[in-house]
Amino acid sequence: MSSNPIISFDTKKKEVLGNLYRPGTLYTTEPVTTLDHDFWSLGHGKVIPHGIYDTQKNRGYVTLGNSKDTSEFACEALKHWWNYYGKALYPDANSILAKCDGGGSNNANHYIFKQDLQKLVNEIGIEIRIAHYPPYTSKYNPIEHRLFPHLTRACQGVIFTSLALVKTLMEKTRTNTGLSVVVNVVDQVYETGRKVTDNFKKTLKIVFDE
């Protein structure tokens, strides 16, 4: 096992909070009545699950946000994982290898993600190596088949009435191969449409791997 962590991260499908239908079946002691559509206008909030999967420890870390899926949110989730779990599990680490898709909040072509990533590296003081999957290959990202399906199974059919309920459900995620999940809630508003600072591209410290 490497002394450096190898993680896979991505944002799971956003969900609407409220008495709205969700796919799946579950056993109840009485009928559950919900609205048959999940329009955003019918809900009272949303939940954005950002997942990090440690491929060596077989452990998932989920950050639940209620604002926007931005690069700042993704980097905040990475920082929380490292400060509270990563550096204790990998005390001799000098680098983090992070696998992710090429789109979304961690878009390979967006300099705002690179800027937020550089800020994160400056804060935690350890190298982060990003490996973006090419277009149409995100299904090979480990988190897509080692964590997300099990989170879906743990939550299937349950009506998401609050962030606290989603947290409780996801924390119960287990598999026979030893997967466990830690869930954290971030109640913070993230701004969309942010631009990189004027001199960022000139002072860019990121090294592009050949």
Side-chain angles (χ1 to χ4, degrees), residues 9 23 26-27 37 44 48 50 69 82 86 88 94 98 103 105 121 130 132 136 161 167 171-172 174 189:
F9 71 91
L26 72 161
Y27 293 102
H37 289 80
H44 56 73
I48 305 170
H50 183 279
D69 179 24
W82 175 251
N94 57 24
S105 58
V121 170
I130 295 291
H132 285 288
Y136 310 109
T161 55
K167 180 178 186 294
E171 284 177 333
K172 293 180 179 179
R174 297 287 187 277
V189 176

Side-chain angles (χ1 to χ4, degrees), residues 90-178:
Y90 300 92
D92 300 323
N94 57 24
S95 178
I96 300 170
L97 174 59
K99 304 176 180 181
C100 61
D101 298 347
S105 58
N106 42 260
N107 196 304
N109 297 320
H110 289 178
Y111 273 89
I112 191 65
F113 173 60
K114 295 175 174 63
Q115 178 176 287
D116 289 338
L117 196 64
Q118 183 63 64
K119 178 184 176 183
L120 172 61
V121 170
N122 294 343
E123 289 182 12
I124 66 177
I126 187 171
E127 174 190 79
I128 297 180
R129 300 183 65 197
I130 295 291
H132 285 288
Y133 282 85
Y136 310 109
T137 63
S138 61
K139 64 181 180 181
Y140 297 108
N141 195 356
I143 196 171
E144 297 291 348
H145 48 88
R146 295 187 188 177
L147 177 61
F148 283 171
H150 305 299
L151 292 176
T152 299
R153 175 173 49 81
C155 299
Q156 67 174 352
V158 180
I159 309 306
F160 284 171
T161 55
S162 67
L163 268 174
L165 174 60
V166 179
K167 180 178 186 294
T168 300
L169 292 170
M170 289 188 172
E171 284 177 333
K172 293 180 179 179
T173 305
R174 297 287 187 277
T175 66
N176 293 333
T177 57

Side-chain angles (χ1 to χ4, degrees), residues 2-3 11 22 39 43 46-47 54 68 78 86 95-96 106 116 122 129 132 147 149 154 175 181 184 193 195 202:
S2 172
S3 60
T11 303
R22 293 190 66 254
F39 297 136
K46 58 185 172 184
V47 56
D54 186 333
K68 301 289 185 180
L78 285 171
S95 178
I96 300 170
N106 42 260
D116 289 338
N122 294 343
R129 300 183 65 197
H132 285 288
L147 177 61
T175 66
V181 176
N184 172 54
K195 303 294 183 182
K202 296 180 181 178

Side-chain angles (χ1 to χ4, degrees), residues 71-90:
S71 61
E72 189 179 11
F73 172 55
C75 289
E76 186 67 28
L78 285 171
K79 182 172 75 171
H80 183 273
W81 166 78
W82 175 251
N83 286 337
Y84 288 91
Y85 306 101
K87 64 182 178 182
L89 293 170
Y90 300 92

